[in-house]
Amino acid sequence: MSSARIRDTISECISQAQSGSDEAMERALQRLASITRVSPLNRSLLAQADGAIPAFLRLTKSNSPVLQALSLSILFNLSLNPDLKRPLADLETMHHLNSIILSPGSPESSRLAASLICSLAMLDKNKAKFGVAGTIQALIKAISGPPKAASHHLLSSLAELVQFHGNCTLAFRSGAVPMLLGLLGSTEGEDLAGTSLAILSLLARFDEGLNALIRTDKIVTSMMDVLKGRCMLSKEGAAEILLRLFDERSARAREKASFLMRKLMEAESYADGNELLLQR
């Protein structure tokens, strides 16, 4: 399809998305979500269309879960273009995304809002803005609540944001450490525990995070239990935390941790081999 034809399609869909019936609006948004899913050029053309981005932002406040989710999906697609991350990340939008992830409404909208936060936060200049907007506190509050389908997406957003030191401080003060430690025994899957440990290892780079871990009861035992598990992401996070707890500057401590990791992996391989023999 030529650029001129795509522009005409975009213009027609934007018009329908703002003034049509709910069914027409849904069809228009579905079309825009489809043409921006894989094409950077189509995303740029849509972003350049007069009034397009403000229209989608308004529709994310729709009472219709379907229209809200489709609008968020389009904004997420647009955010995949590096040059669009900055203009999409204004404080009003950030505050609205916070309200969506804290809302008990549509799980799909919460997942998409978290994904949009994560995508926008990949631009370093946006990380501090999310901190100012209160997104760290909102993510921690959302993750701390009852288990939800968007939990992994929320954790991924937090992991991206705490790569900025200022956001780490906000995370410490908002109770991130006990919340993340509480996810280690999650029944929702090993990926939650693995991502939680990855975030904890990021927080442990700074004195506040390291001191919070040191003050945690039985933290070494907890990390040792993780090392005995099967999730490699979790093991890597636990090993990194143990290194920092013992003394990240000590070469001897690193050698001991590496030795321990090798022994645990050898024991796991031995156990797996025995299991295979028993199955024959």
Side-chain angles (χ1 to χ4, degrees):
M1 188 184 295
S2 67
S3 294
R5 178 58 183 149
I6 292 171
R7 284 192 179 93
D8 290 342
T9 299
I10 286 172
S11 179
E12 181 182 347
C13 288
I14 291 174
S15 177
Q16 291 178 353
Q18 295 183 86
S19 58
S21 65
D22 281 358
E23 289 184 1
M25 292 171 70
E26 184 177 333
R27 286 196 300 271
L29 291 173
Q30 285 175 338
R31 178 66 173 148
L32 291 172
S34 175
I35 66 175
T36 56
R37 187 167 294 120
V38 296
S39 171
L41 174 60
N42 290 352
R43 295 173 199 144
S44 294
L45 292 174
L46 178 55
Q48 292 165 13
D50 186 39
I53 291 177
F56 302 135
L57 290 172
R58 285 194 298 273
L59 285 168
T60 62
K61 301 175 183 178
S62 170
N63 290 327
S64 165
V66 174
L67 295 181
Q68 182 185 57
L70 284 169
S71 302
L72 286 167
S73 181
I74 293 169
L75 289 170
F76 172 74
N77 291 346
L78 294 180
S79 76
L80 297 177
N81 278 23
D83 63 317
L84 295 178
K85 291 184 187 293
R86 190 168 186 178
L88 285 170
D90 63 87
L91 282 176
E92 183 179 352
T93 299
M94 291 176 173
H95 287 141
H96 183 52
L97 293 175
N98 294 349
S99 69
I100 293 175
I101 63 175
L102 289 171
S103 170
S106 166
E108 180 66 5
S109 290
S110 182
R111 181 187 68 80
L112 287 166
S115 297
L116 179 53
I117 290 170
C118 189
S119 177
L120 294 176
M122 289 179 183
L123 180 67
D124 286 343
K125 291 183 178 180
N126 285 343
K127 287 180 170 66
K129 291 176 69 175
F130 274 113
V132 172
T135 304
I136 300 296
Q137 295 91 328
L139 286 168
I140 291 171
K141 184 175 180 180
I143 297 166
S144 299
K148 49 181 70 68
S151 292
H152 183 69
H153 297 82
L154 295 167
L155 277 173
S156 296
S157 298
L158 184 60
E160 187 64 39
L161 287 170
V162 297
Q163 293 182 47
F164 173 64
H165 187 183
N167 288 341
C168 284
T169 300
L170 292 172
F172 304 142
R173 297 174 182 176
S174 302
V177 171
M179 179 274 290
L180 292 166
L181 288 171
L183 290 174
L184 299 188
S186 172
T187 58
E188 299 299 307
E190 290 183 333
D191 58 335
L192 288 185
T195 306
S196 298
L197 283 159
I199 297 171
L200 284 169
S201 66
L202 288 171
L203 297 178
R205 295 173 302 167
F206 306 106
D207 287 344
E208 286 182 86
L210 188 58
N211 289 336
L213 287 170
I214 290 171
R215 292 193 299 269
T216 301
D217 188 38
K218 298 182 179 179
I219 183 64
V220 174
T221 301
S222 296
M223 294 302 102
M224 292 294 291
D225 287 342
V226 172
L227 287 175
K228 296 173 185 177
R230 301 184 66 84
C231 177
M232 185 52 64
L233 178 61
S234 295
K235 288 181 178 183
E236 291 174 356
E240 179 66 24
I241 289 168
L242 285 171
L243 285 174
R244 295 191 183 280
L245 288 172
F246 288 137
D247 181 4
E248 65 174 338
R249 293 181 299 272
S250 168
R252 185 172 177 77
R254 286 187 176 277
E255 289 173 4
K256 286 183 177 179
S258 297
F259 176 76
L260 176 61
M261 191 73 170
R262 285 198 303 272
K263 286 298 182 184
L264 285 167
M265 293 181 72
E266 288 170 6
E268 180 179 300
S269 298
Y270 178 76
D272 289 343
N274 282 346
E275 185 176 337
L276 287 173
L277 286 173
L278 289 171
Q279 290 174 352
R280 288 178 178 176

